[in-house]
Amino acid sequence: MNKLEVVTRNKIIGNTDGIALDFNKDILTITITKDCKDSIRFINSIYHNVSIIVEDNANVVFTEIKGFEVAEESKYTYTLGDNSKVIINRFNYMGNYNEKTDINLNGYQSDILFNLSVMSKGHQQYNINISHNNKKTVSNLYNHGVTLGDGTMDLTVNGYVVKGMSDSVLNQDNRIMTMGTGKSVIKPNLIIDENMVEARHGASIGRFNEEEIFYLETRGVPSEEGYRLLLNGFLLGNLQLDDDIKVELKNIIEQMGR
């Protein structure tokens, strides 16, 4: 895996083969070409406005982990070209945070798998917009959040298909587990002006099943460890990660879940 790390404004270290960078005031633009062969671990605490452009026929896995007590509002834009395929793995563990994400499937047969996992001890708000701007485009979104203490999560997910963008596929799975007293909200929306489309979404807010915890206890697993196992499965099960990153995230989950 290639690490791209923003060390200061206008400076990134890491292997940039098949990657072009543009520093324009407060916006960092990362362009990924078909010559990019590595999956990417993105490390960034400098830029709050990031644009990721995936050119025609490019195929990439892009992973980012963010953790702050209080973070500035962030904006992400993903733009995909013809026959491009992207897997986005995002893991956020923070206090107060506000993020807007725009996904533009501009290319014919462009395909995105967007995985977002969140642990919230404050108020976190996400506004995700997916625009199917070409035919045979595919979006699969898995947004999983866990709130701790009085933490909350406000999740709005909008999927758009304009008339003429036939044979597109939209799939959303939005789930929040509460482990405290905070009240969370999910607003899933599909705005579709085309008949030849497959579209589905799911949204649920709840708690981990006490029967599952009891079952684990009957097998000799203490309740605290049982909750940790359920947390790991819920937050990491949808992410496509290398083993070393999974270990890193399991340690974060254990520390935050205490």
Side-chain angles (χ1 to χ4, degrees):
M1 174 174 286
N2 176 27
K3 285 187 179 181
L4 283 183
E5 182 175 1
V6 182
V7 289
T8 61
R9 194 166 293 275
N10 300 335
K11 183 178 180 181
I12 290 180
I13 60 174
N15 179 11
T16 56
D17 291 344
I19 300 170
L21 303 171
D22 182 59
F23 306 96
N24 181 9
K25 296 182 179 179
D26 294 328
I27 302 175
L28 169 62
T29 300
I30 302 172
T31 300
I32 299 169
T33 74
K34 64 180 180 180
D35 296 323
C36 180
K37 305 302 181 183
D38 289 333
S39 58
I40 297 170
R41 166 79 181 271
F42 184 50
I43 303 171
N44 169 43
S45 61
I46 305 295
Y47 287 93
H48 302 287
N49 194 334
V50 178
S51 175
I52 299 169
I53 299 172
V54 184
E55 293 189 341
D56 296 351
N57 303 306
N59 190 330
V60 69
V61 178
F62 200 92
T63 299
E64 183 177 9
I65 301 168
K66 296 179 70 171
F68 305 100
E69 286 299 320
V70 179
E72 294 186 32
E73 181 175 346
S74 294
K75 180 179 180 181
Y76 286 82
T77 304
Y78 302 92
T79 305
L80 278 64
D82 290 347
N83 298 301
S84 60
K85 186 171 183 179
V86 180
I87 297 174
I88 304 295
N89 295 308
R90 301 278 312 282
F91 187 95
N92 292 350
Y93 61 105
M94 301 188 225
N96 297 330
Y97 183 60
N98 190 326
E99 179 178 302
K100 180 182 179 184
T101 298
D102 292 329
I103 300 170
N104 302 306
L105 300 177
N106 291 348
Y108 177 74
Q109 287 188 329
S110 54
D111 184 326
I112 189 166
L113 171 57
F114 183 87
N115 299 314
L116 173 66
S117 290
V118 173
M119 294 189 78
S120 175
K121 283 190 172 181
H123 177 62
Q124 295 196 32
Q125 183 172 351
Y126 296 86
N127 190 321
I128 303 172
N129 303 290
I130 314 98
S131 298
H132 288 249
N133 299 324
N134 212 322
K135 296 180 179 180
K136 293 189 176 182
T137 50
V138 178
S139 64
N140 287 285
L141 280 72
Y142 297 90
N143 302 303
H144 289 183
V146 172
T147 60
L148 306 169
D150 59 356
T152 63
M153 185 174 174
D154 189 330
L155 175 64
T156 300
V157 186
N158 301 311
Y160 301 92
V161 182
V162 298
K163 191 171 182 62
M165 301 302 104
S166 59
D167 300 314
S168 293
V169 178
L170 301 80
N171 179 48
Q172 298 179 19
D173 176 40
N174 306 300
R175 300 170 64 191
I176 298 173
M177 291 295 185
T178 60
M179 297 184 68
T181 58
K183 304 297 183 182
S184 295
V185 178
I186 300 175
K187 301 172 187 174
N189 302 300
L190 295 174
I191 301 95
I192 298 173
D193 192 24
E194 169 60 44
N195 291 325
M196 299 294 290
V197 167
E198 292 182 32
R200 64 189 69 85
H201 65 69
S204 65
I205 300 174
R207 294 181 178 273
F208 288 114
N209 192 330
E210 293 296 332
E211 292 183 0
E212 293 179 325
I213 298 296
F214 176 74
Y215 173 81
L216 291 172
E217 287 180 324
T218 64
R219 295 299 184 270
V221 179
S223 61
E224 183 177 341
E225 178 64 20
Y227 276 111
R228 187 154 48 246
L229 290 172
L230 293 178
L231 274 171
N232 286 337
F234 180 71
L235 291 172
L236 303 184
N238 59 312
L239 302 178
Q240 298 190 21
L241 304 170
D242 293 343
D243 288 342
D244 58 338
I245 297 180
K246 284 185 179 179
V247 171
E248 178 183 345
L249 293 182
K250 285 180 179 179
N251 289 334
I252 292 170
I253 292 170
E254 181 177 358
Q255 292 172 8
M256 287 195 68
R258 289 175 179 172

